[in-house]
Amino acid sequence: AAGKTPLRSSVYVLPVAGLVLAGLANTAVVVDAGHVGGVTRFGAVTGANFEQGLSYKIPFAESVWIADVRTQKEQVDAAAASKHLQEVKATLAMNYHLDARNAPKVYQQIGPLYKTRIVDPAIQEAFKFTTAQYTAEELITQREAVKNRAREFLKERLGNFNVIVDELNIVSFEFSKSFNDAIEAKQVAAQRVQQSQREQERAKID
C-alpha cells in the first residue's frame, strides 16, 4: 500500500496543475497596435479598455473583444432619385474608424458586425437623403456641396454609434440614358447658339 501512495498523489496533482496552468494562460491578453480591447465579465461590458501591449484579465470570468480602431475604407454603390425624381447612381468611398474610447459600447450595443449593421446602411441613407435635395444638373455642377452635405449627415448619424467619419468622396455619378441624351442635346444647342452669335458678330464687322 505504501508503494501506491505516489501514484495516488499524482492522480490529483496533475489535474490541479493543469487547471492552474490553463488559468494562468487564460489571463494574458496581447493587443496589437491600432487595436483596443474591450473587457466583458460574464458577457457584460465592464467599461474597461486594454490599450496596445500585454494586459491581464480574470481567467474564465472575463473575455476581451479586440477592436480595430485604425482607419477603414468602405466603397459602396448606391442608387437614389434627384429632386425631380431623376434616377441617379453613384459610387461612394468613405474613410472611418471606431472611437477607441467607446469601442466596448459598440460591442455592447451593436456587436462586432457593426459595419454591416450600421455603416453600410448609413451610406445608402445619406446618399438618398442628399440627392433628394438637388436636381440632376445640380448634382453635377455642385458636386462638392453634395459631398459635404452627405458627409455631415453621416458624421451625425454614425457619431451616435461611436463611429467617426474621416472623409467621404463621390467617386462617380451615373444617370439614365434619357438624361444623358438630354444633357448632350442641351450642350449641342448651346454650342450652336454660341456659333450663331459669333457669325453675327463677324457679319457686323464685315
Side-chain angles (χ1 to χ4, degrees):
K4 295 181 179 179
T5 301
L7 181 60
R8 290 178 179 177
S9 299
S10 64
V11 170
Y12 297 104
V13 170
L14 289 176
V16 171
L19 288 173
V20 171
L21 291 175
L24 291 174
N26 195 255
T27 62
V29 178
V30 177
V31 179
D32 294 332
H35 295 70
V36 65
V39 182
T40 62
R41 185 173 300 143
F42 298 113
V45 175
T46 65
N49 283 357
F50 287 167
E51 303 298 332
Q52 66 181 56
L54 179 64
S55 300
Y56 297 92
K57 63 183 180 63
I58 300 173
F60 308 114
E62 291 183 340
S63 298
V64 179
W65 175 53
I66 305 298
D68 190 341
V69 295
R70 295 171 299 181
T71 297
Q72 309 290 322
K73 181 178 180 180
E74 182 68 4
Q75 183 165 305
V76 301
D77 296 325
S82 68
K83 188 175 183 179
H84 294 158
L85 303 181
Q86 174 66 48
E87 181 184 359
V88 55
K89 298 178 181 179
T91 299
L92 297 96
M94 184 179 76
N95 293 341
Y96 67 96
H97 67 275
L98 276 180
D99 183 349
R101 297 169 302 175
N102 295 309
K105 290 183 180 179
V106 178
Y107 177 84
Q108 182 183 40
Q109 297 171 358
I110 305 167
L113 300 178
Y114 69 92
K115 185 187 81 69
T116 303
R117 295 185 62 184
I118 65 168
V119 173
D120 291 346
I123 296 176
Q124 296 284 346
E125 187 179 359
F127 183 65
K128 291 178 180 179
F129 168 81
T130 305
T131 54
Q133 315 300 315
Y134 297 87
T135 66
E137 291 187 2
E138 288 172 341
L139 290 174
I140 298 173
T141 59
Q142 301 181 34
R143 187 163 174 168
E144 189 69 18
V146 173
K147 182 195 77 170
N148 291 338
R149 192 161 189 172
R151 182 179 59 194
E152 292 307 313
F153 179 95
L154 282 168
K155 281 186 175 182
E156 181 178 354
R157 180 58 54 86
L158 293 177
N160 294 328
F161 298 101
N162 298 298
V163 176
I164 299 173
V165 176
D166 300 313
E167 187 54 274
L168 176 72
N169 288 299
I170 300 176
V171 179
S172 65
F173 266 128
E174 181 182 338
F175 299 92
S176 66
K177 185 178 183 303
S178 60
F179 177 77
N180 290 333
D181 291 343
I183 291 296
E184 184 177 355
K186 186 175 181 179
Q187 291 174 342
V188 171
Q191 290 172 358
R192 287 176 178 173
V193 170
Q194 291 176 355
Q195 183 179 359
S196 176
Q197 290 174 343
R198 286 196 298 267
E199 290 175 351
Q200 291 175 8
E201 292 295 328
R202 187 178 301 114
K204 289 180 180 180
I205 294 174
D206 294 342

